[in-house]
Amino acid sequence: LRRRYNNIRKLWAFILFFLTKRQMFIPLVYMLAKSQEGFDSPKLEELLNIRQHCREKSLKHSPHQRLALEKKVSQTLFEYFSFLENQKKLQMQSKFGHIVRDLEFIDSKLVELQQLYNVEAKRWNRLSAVFMAGFFFQMVGMNPFDLFSE
């Protein structure tokens, strides 16, 4: 049981890793977009504002608020890159195109990890919902896990 519990916590650590990695890409996206003509958009400013709010919200102390902000980051990046693609300004062989591919990879990994985390956390939560097992788990510090929204 301890190993299963630790594996779920490792999944959470991987999710945090990819969220942090994506956060590090935001200033790079901003700088490259500002250096290229025609890449300016109000979405860039919105992205920086959301990033600042993300830095103020801890995943440890307020995970639901932070994850809502991370979802906004995903939506804003998607809208911005879709805008560039519709304007035929996004070339996949450029530096900017490489960053877009890297961010797509990170987002796909985040989705996969969140789904796997939810499956494992649901199993754990069902097990800990049994009265005596739940009582024992809480005594040894193994609490139920919060799930990601679908």
Side-chain angles (χ1 to χ4, degrees), residues 4 34 67 69 72-73 76 87 91 96 99 120 150:
R4 176 177 273 178
K34 286 294 185 181
L67 290 173
L69 288 170
K72 279 186 181 179
V73 168
T76 305
Q87 299 292 320
Q91 298 172 355
F96 210 75
I99 290 173
E120 294 299 321
E150 299 293 327

Side-chain angles (χ1 to χ4, degrees), residues 47-136:
L47 191 60
L48 286 181
N49 290 334
I50 294 170
R51 181 175 188 260
Q52 183 59 38
H53 291 312
C54 284
R55 296 183 83 171
E56 295 166 1
K57 297 289 180 193
S58 166
L59 272 164
K60 186 174 185 177
H61 300 296
S62 53
H64 294 292
Q65 293 173 350
R66 175 65 185 273
L67 290 173
L69 288 170
E70 291 290 348
K71 189 173 184 179
K72 279 186 181 179
V73 168
S74 292
Q75 290 170 340
T76 305
L77 284 170
F78 176 78
E79 290 170 5
Y80 179 61
F81 293 140
S82 295
F83 167 76
L84 291 178
E85 202 169 48
N86 289 339
Q87 299 292 320
K88 307 276 192 251
K89 295 180 182 176
L90 186 62
Q91 298 172 355
M92 294 313 270
Q93 301 306 321
S94 67
K95 288 180 186 178
F96 210 75
H98 290 292
I99 290 173
V100 170
R101 279 198 307 274
D102 289 344
L103 285 168
E104 286 174 346
F105 173 77
I106 289 170
D107 276 348
S108 69
K109 285 296 178 191
L110 281 169
V111 168
E112 288 174 27
L113 286 168
Q114 288 173 359
Q115 290 171 344
L116 182 58
Y117 172 89
N118 275 350
V119 167
E120 294 299 321
K122 283 178 186 177
R123 282 186 198 152
W124 180 264
N125 290 347
R126 273 195 306 267
L127 181 63
S128 66
V130 176
F131 176 71
M132 291 305 287
F135 181 71
F136 172 73

